């Protein structure tokens, strides 16, 4: 993988000696609840980054407001390399569309380090409430109820929320959005049948799909996903071109020296080559995507543009 050359970055903060960092624990902010897919990835990488960086990485869960609370905490942190952020498609992409009063710019307001994991979202149902065997049957059921079934998400502006809104607009049915505080609560709402449908991040619900607690009807990637080869894409189920991808990745507060970005990126590359990490991510339904800082920045910019369009069409605003 081609590495980005960072020139003159150390000059930005001369007080930080390159040979002296890190000399104390590093805080890794996860802007979501413990047990979420993003939190799981944070803890997996933190465990393996620690020996490479020579200091503990302490995961700090700052959930709420679709990830806004945690992201803002990272943005306001000193750019000294002792605070990092593991952002995701919601907190660092969709929120630019949902919250028009953000004090930071999600495209330019952070130092992107690397994307870590990507994966499709997946359309899942509770078959006790919605006994559909494919997407066509499901859409017919959803259209038959004028007041709409309830669907769950991990919060307003989450990837699950916006993916379902995109699907709802494409299929033409009414639905009632029920935002939970985090993805673990969303999964329980699906299993209980309180919210019998969702488009959830695959890494968040793969264990429940494997156990038969919920049925997967379609993935949101353009091609079938290797871990669910029998599940068709929504694109091949009557919605050509439908695609939404969940992702997460490491970022640093604005102004963090480039040499720190480079060191964390290099360490992440080494972690991504560890067989245990590869197997764990695959088991969760994801795919390792350790991209350059520039490629990660481009991914964020593309997502922000896409979701602003969806939010405008659906008339969504955070309360």
């Amino acid at each position: 993988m081609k590495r980005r050359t960072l020139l003159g970055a150390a000059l930005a903060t001369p007080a930080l000696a390159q040979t002296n960092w890190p000399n104390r624990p590093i805080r890794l902010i996860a802007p979501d609840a413990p047990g979420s897919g993003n939190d799981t990835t944070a803890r997996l990488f933190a465990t393996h980054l620690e020996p490479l960086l020579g200091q503990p990485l302490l995961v700090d869960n700052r959930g709420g407001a679709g990830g806004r609370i945690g992201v803002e905490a990272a943005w306001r942190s000193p750019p000294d390399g002792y605070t990092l952020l593991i952002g995701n498609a919601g907190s660092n992409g969709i929120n630019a569309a949902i919250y028009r009063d953000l004090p930071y710019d999600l495209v330019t307001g952070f130092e992107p380090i690397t994307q870590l994991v990507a994966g499709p979202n997946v359309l899942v149902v509770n078959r006790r409430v919605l006994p559909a065997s494919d997407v066509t049957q499901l859409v017919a059921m959803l259209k038959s109820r004028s007041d709409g079934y309830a669907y769950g998400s991990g919060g307003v502006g989450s990837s699950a929320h916006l993916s379902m809104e995109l699907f709802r607009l494409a299929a033409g049915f009414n639905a009632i959005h029920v935002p939970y505080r985090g993805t673990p609560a969303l999964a329980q709402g699906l299993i209980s049948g309180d919210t019998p449908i969702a488009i959830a991040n695959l890494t968040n619900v793969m264990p429940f799909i494997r156990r038969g607690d919920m049925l997967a009807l379609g993935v949101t990637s353009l091609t079938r996903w290797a871990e669910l080869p029998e599940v068709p894409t929504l694109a091949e189920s009557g919605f050509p071109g439908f695609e939404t991808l969940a992702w997460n990745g490491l970022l640093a507060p604005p102004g963090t020296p480039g040499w720190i970005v480079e060191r964390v990126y290099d360490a992440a590359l080494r972690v991504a080559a560890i067989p245990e990490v590869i197997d764990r991510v695959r088991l969760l339904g994801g795919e390792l995507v350790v991209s350059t800082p520039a490629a990660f920045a481009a991914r964020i910019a593309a997502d922000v543009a896409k979701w602003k369009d969806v939010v405008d069409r659906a008339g969504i605003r955070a309360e």
Side-chain angles (χ1 to χ4, degrees), residues 45-202:
F45 269 81
T47 297
H48 293 281
L49 284 171
E50 285 183 355
L52 298 176
L53 296 177
Q55 289 291 336
L57 266 74
L58 307 178
V59 177
D60 180 5
N61 292 96
R62 296 289 189 95
R68 176 174 177 171
I69 293 172
V71 173
E72 185 163 342
W75 179 70
R76 295 189 183 280
S77 296
D80 56 9
Y82 290 100
T83 298
L84 301 175
L85 170 69
I86 181 163
N88 57 64
S91 68
N92 286 77
I94 291 171
N95 275 6
I98 292 290
Y99 297 102
R100 300 304 173 95
D101 62 341
L102 294 177
Y104 45 81
D105 187 322
L106 284 173
V107 176
T108 63
F110 291 84
E111 305 297 337
I113 300 173
T114 181
Q115 189 174 338
L116 295 177
V117 174
N121 294 303
V122 58
L123 175 63
V124 288
V125 297
N126 180 314
R127 289 200 70 181
R128 297 192 311 275
V129 182
L130 289 166
S133 59
D134 58 35
V135 173
T136 300
Q137 289 183 6
L138 175 66
V139 170
M141 291 178 186
L142 295 174
K143 287 183 174 181
S144 70
R145 183 165 173 171
S146 60
D147 58 343
Y149 284 91
Y151 76 89
S153 81
V156 174
S158 64
S159 178
H161 177 202
L162 269 293
S163 293
M164 179 58 85
E165 282 299 307
L166 185 62
F167 179 56
R168 185 185 67 78
L169 290 169
F173 59 84
N174 293 323
I176 303 164
H177 177 219
V178 178
Y180 290 94
R181 188 175 178 83
T183 51
L186 162 63
Q188 292 307 311
L190 273 161
I191 293 169
S192 69
D194 292 339
T195 48
I197 181 173
I199 294 184
N201 297 356
L202 183 56

